[in-house]
Amino acid sequence: MDATGLEEPLSLIEQGLIDTSCLISKRYALNDILEAYRAFEAREDGCLKAVITPWEER
């Protein structure tokens, strides 16, 4: 186990054995960070937890 004690839970998530989708309200690419902050602040569509993913080439 690592120093944080998260090695096992992270491994289970990576393997798809733990579904974390219920913890995430919305996903935004880094390109859309301003929209993400706006939606989060407004609690738009019940947005409580937003995940920012890497920049997307468009």
Side-chain angles (χ1 to χ4, degrees), residues 28 33-44 47-48 50:
Y28 295 91
I33 192 74
L34 294 178
E35 172 61 17
Y37 274 107
R38 188 201 60 74
F40 176 77
E41 183 177 46
R43 300 294 191 258
E44 189 174 280
C47 183
L48 297 174

Side-chain angles (χ1 to χ4, degrees), residues 6-42:
L6 295 175
E7 184 177 280
E8 183 178 2
L10 289 175
S11 175
L12 294 172
I13 292 168
E14 287 174 347
Q15 295 173 53
L17 298 173
I18 296 177
D19 179 14
T20 58
S21 63
C22 64
L23 303 175
I24 301 166
S25 302
K26 295 271 195 170
R27 292 178 186 271
Y28 295 91
L30 185 57
N31 334 30
D32 301 320
I33 192 74
L34 294 178
E35 172 61 17
Y37 274 107
R38 188 201 60 74
F40 176 77
E41 183 177 46

Side-chain angles (χ1 to χ4, degrees), residues 28-33 52-58:
Y28 295 91
L30 185 57
N31 334 30
D32 301 320
I33 192 74
I52 307 301
T53 59
W55 189 271
E56 293 178 358
E57 294 298 324
R58 296 181 183 165

